[in-house]
Structure formats: structure tokens, C-alpha cells
Amino acid sequence: MAVEYIHHYHPEQARPIKKLALEVDNIQVRHSNRVILQGVNLALEEGTYACLLGESGSGKSTLLAAIAGMLKPSEGIVKLHGEMVSSTQGHWLAPEKRGIGMVFQEPALWPHMRVLDNVLFPLKSRGMVPDRQRALALLEKMDLPAATAERRPHELSGGQRQRVAIARAIIARPRLVLLDEPLSALDHSIREEIRTFLRALFREEGITALHVTHDPEEAFDLGTRIGFLGAGRLAQWDSPEGVYRCPATETVARLSGPVRFLPVMVTAVDAGHAHLSVSKDSLRVPAHPELRPGPALLALRPEAVLCDSESGARATVIRAQWSRGRYLLELELPEGDRLLSYSATGRMGIRYLKIRPEDAWCLPPETELTAEETS
Ligand SMILES: Nc1ncnc2c1ncn2[C@@H]1O[C@H](COP(=O)(O)OP(=O)(O)OP(=O)(O)O)[C@@H](O)[C@H]1O
């Protein structure tokens, strides 16, 4: 799937040009002769909040480490705001000079310092003026009033400590903020609360962010761009809608929300659509650009399957789960394939299904590659 780069200016285009805050070009990382990342390209426009999803061990943290300068890639380049900070031709900017703010799963605050001094630490350590007013304003925006600024980290809750860590990461107006699973150790309600702060504060400050998470809800809530790493490669880099509606692979589809797959035979492909049949119905559905006639997978989100019809393919409800004001049903077709659908009722038993072709997506069967095989 094509990686999106800056859209060059064209007089007819109303879209303003934005500068690139980060360019990663053809990065390869090896550990003990094992390829961890292979040919990864991505570009972040200034002010973008991008989220990176991927299965455990797919190389997400390794990519952040390569961008931050905590490891040297064996191939490829990294540029920050147009400046080459890492290349195999000898460019190398030390991590502390890259102007990157970092937030990890654990806040890692200095226990002996007051909250205010923790937030001011990046300024002091770089010999910059410790801007107390800015620190207090950032804490205030994170709903941490002045009295909290006087406390020590152990006198705060886990969610408050992570908000302090976020304020510390942005105090020095970094060129880029990397967040590695920053909310994973927190309760659901606290995660939602901090997401609200992150969204508002990062937009207000115009900060560019790359946020690694394993939680699709978090990625879709925060990300204006979403990337997927699989076996050390970037499988997709797209808008949230693009990822959800047109996933590049079966794994991306699974990791980006509820979905089931039907094995189908594509008889023809025209103008980005595949012709196929499901339960004797002929369908023309949007298709992956690399799809060819032959065996394929039909990816069906719950929205693509209507189950309250009077007629259609017969299926049995095998599970009904109350989900945000409606039921998410799992239905089994006579051949044993399973689909998901939303319904106003959780009634078990027989339903008749219809597929909404415009909400379906046809993609080639996945060929699983491991990072080692790609080397
Ligand atoms: N220093 C290292 N030496 C050897 N192998 C490493 C090293 N660091 C990471 N790896 C391996 O690289 C692969 C990718 O690790 P990484 O932590 O980047 O994955 P991840 O996608 O962030 O995983 P998770 O979601 O579980 O945190 C893993 O197989 C890991 O064991």
C-alpha cells in the first residue's frame, strides 16, 4: 500500500502545503542478524497526530527508538523538519539534540522533585530558562492545579503522574513527541480522560506526535493518521476511515475493528470493484488495488451485514453482545462461516442476512511474511 507523502502544491488545490516534521525513508533495523524492521517509510506533516498499531513484537517500539536515536538503523534515513539526523552516509544527531519529547508507559518522574521541577527539568537540563508560568499553564490545562505542582510524584494518582509526564514531554516545545503505549497501564476511564487532554493540548500547541498503542479505539480516537506495522514492515499508512473501510491486509482489518471474512471467488475486477457471489447473490464490491480474479477474502464489518431483513441468506445467531446502545450479533451461516451484524434486538435464533456491497471490502488472501523472510 502506498505510503502518503506531502501533496505538492497545485494551483487548483485549496489544500495548504504543510511542512514535514518527520521523514523515515527505507529504514532497516537488525538485532543479532535478525531483521526487525525492513524498508519502513513514513512521513508526518507538522501538527499531525499519528497512531501506530501492530501485533506484539511487530517492531513498533523499535521504530520509535530508531527515530529517537536510541539505536542506529542498518539502512535508511531519518529526517526531522528536513534535517538529516540519521543515515548510513554518516549523518548522526545524538538523541538529546533531536528535540524529541518522549512519553513511555511508566511516567518515570524524579521521585525527589516536586511536580513543577519535574516538568521544568527538560528546560533546566538544556540550559534554557525554566519557564515556570508555562509549566503551571500546561499543568492547569491537564487539570493539575497549582497546589498539585508543589507535591511529589508519590502524592499523585497514576493518571495524574502520567499527565505530569506529558507536560514534561512538551514543555520545551519539541519538534516531535513520541509516545510508547502511554495509556496502557491506566484504567479505562482514566485513559479516556487523558485522551481528551492529549487531543486538546497537542492541537492547541501544534505538536506533531507518533503514538504507539495496541488499542484500536485509542488509535481511532486520537489519530488523524494511522499506521500498521506487521512483520517489521509498514502494512498501511492512511486516514482512520481509509484503514477501517479499505484495510490493506487481513491483519490490518482484524486489528482495526470488528470484522469477519468470507472466502470468495472473484470472477472479474473492474474500476476498483470485484465481482463475486455470496449465497447465490451476485455482488460488486470495492476491492484492494492489487486484487485479481481468483480466490479472495471478503472482509465484512458489522455495518456491512443487515440482519433484520425478511429474506436473504439464512443464519443462526450464536452470540449477542450489548454494545453501545445496540446488539453486536455473531451469526453462523449453514456452511459454518461466521459474520457480525448490529441489531436493535438480541433475539437468538434464525435471521436473514443481506450484505451492503458498498460497505464490504474484497482483498487478496494474506501471505504471512516474517521479518526474517523479508531479509
Ligand atoms: N535489543 C534487542 N535485541 C534483540 N532483539 C530485540 C531487541 N529489541 C527488540 N528486539 C526484538 O525485536 C522485535 C520487535 O520488538 P519491539 O519491542 O519493537 O516490538 P513491539 O511491536 O513494540 O512489541 P510490543 O507491542 O509487545 O511492545 C521483538 O521480537 C523483540 O524481541
Side-chain angles (χ1 to χ4, degrees):
M1 176 69 47
V3 174
E4 294 210 356
Y5 282 102
I6 191 166
H7 297 265
H8 292 289
Y9 179 70
H10 187 277
E12 274 111 43
Q13 273 183 330
R15 193 175 183 278
I17 305 175
K18 279 197 177 175
K19 289 191 185 141
L20 292 180
L22 169 69
E23 290 163 83
V24 170
D25 195 0
N26 203 25
I27 281 288
Q28 185 190 72
V29 174
R30 289 172 176 267
H31 281 310
S32 328
N33 273 343
R34 197 173 143 230
V35 178
I36 308 296
L37 294 177
Q38 172 78 13
V40 173
N41 299 293
L42 64 87
L44 279 190
E45 287 183 349
E46 275 179 6
T48 305
Y49 200 114
C51 289
L52 192 62
L53 287 159
E55 285 172 333
S56 185
S58 58
K60 303 182 295 297
S61 300
T62 302
L63 180 57
L64 294 196
I67 295 167
M70 291 187 285
L71 59 81
K72 271 191 186 166
S74 44
E75 276 179 32
I77 63 168
V78 178
K79 281 188 192 174
L80 288 170
H81 291 265
E83 182 192 358
M84 190 88 81
V85 297
S86 167
S87 84
T88 37
Q89 278 76 49
H91 298 92
W92 182 255
L93 192 64
E96 66 278 9
K97 295 196 175 143
R98 293 193 182 191
I100 292 179
M102 302 210 56
V103 184
F104 299 97
Q105 190 169 328
E106 295 302 326
L109 302 176
W110 296 105
H112 60 287
M113 286 185 194
R114 293 175 309 163
V115 162
L116 180 63
D117 294 319
N118 265 285
V119 175
L120 289 171
F121 186 79
L123 297 177
K124 289 183 181 165
S125 66
R126 286 171 218 182
M128 295 161 76
V129 179
D131 188 342
R132 204 183 128 89
Q133 285 317 310
R134 174 165 163 76
L136 289 171
L138 283 178
L139 288 169
E140 184 75 43
K141 281 180 191 160
M142 305 280 270
D143 200 21
L144 294 169
T148 320
E150 296 302 318
R151 294 199 209 148
R152 312 265 169 214
H154 74 270
E155 294 168 314
L156 305 184
S157 69
Q160 287 174 323
R161 279 199 289 273
Q162 195 57 308
R163 280 185 264 156
V164 174
I166 293 166
R168 181 182 59 182
I170 63 177
I171 183 86
R173 303 185 193 278
R175 300 197 286 182
L176 174 69
V177 176
L178 303 175
L179 305 102
D180 196 351
E181 305 262 11
L183 310 180
S184 302
L186 303 169
D187 288 351
H188 185 75
S189 61
I190 296 175
R191 290 209 297 265
E192 275 194 4
E193 188 184 59
I194 297 187
R195 286 199 316 237
T196 310
F197 290 123
L198 276 174
R199 240 192 332 270
L201 193 58
F202 277 47
R203 191 175 301 147
E204 202 173 299
E205 297 255 324
I207 293 172
T208 313
L210 183 56
H211 174 139
V212 161
T213 174
H214 62 267
D215 179 357
E217 186 184 314
E218 191 172 302
F220 279 84
D221 188 19
L222 288 169
T224 51
R225 273 279 171 272
I226 298 187
F228 281 85
L229 266 187
R233 287 179 182 273
L234 198 65
Q236 191 162 6
W237 181 254
D238 212 333
S239 65
E241 186 182 353
V243 164
Y244 190 80
R245 295 180 70 88
C246 309
T249 64
E250 185 184 340
T251 306
V252 170
R254 274 194 291 104
L255 292 180
S256 54
V259 68
R260 292 290 182 270
F261 302 93
L262 290 183
V264 290
M265 188 59 73
V266 172
T267 52
V269 179
D270 77 73
H273 286 72
H275 294 258
L276 51 95
S277 323
V278 174
S279 302
K280 296 183 195 136
D281 281 342
S282 295
L283 301 175
R284 182 175 178 270
V285 304
H288 189 285
E290 285 164 23
L291 187 77
R292 301 286 172 264
L297 286 178
L298 186 62
L300 295 166
R301 303 275 189 204
E303 301 83 357
V305 179
L306 303 178
C307 67
D308 293 321
S309 318
E310 296 293 312
S311 62
R314 196 180 147 94
T316 311
V317 178
I318 56 169
R319 191 168 64 97
Q321 178 198 332
W322 177 249
S323 168
R324 299 169 190 224
R326 58 197 167 166
Y327 284 92
L328 175 64
L329 303 184
E330 179 146 33
L331 301 124
E332 193 166 79
L333 292 162
E335 306 78 38
D337 292 314
R338 292 182 178 183
L339 294 177
L340 299 172
S341 179
Y342 290 122
S343 173
T345 78
R347 178 173 54 80
M348 303 300 281
I350 302 298
R351 301 281 183 114
Y352 293 93
L353 308 185
K354 283 205 189 309
I355 290 174
R356 288 162 54 96
E358 66 276 21
D359 287 331
W361 176 245
C362 195
L363 72 167
E366 190 146 325
T367 34
E368 290 292 351
L369 284 182
T370 64
E372 285 89 338
E373 282 170 328
T374 62
S375 61

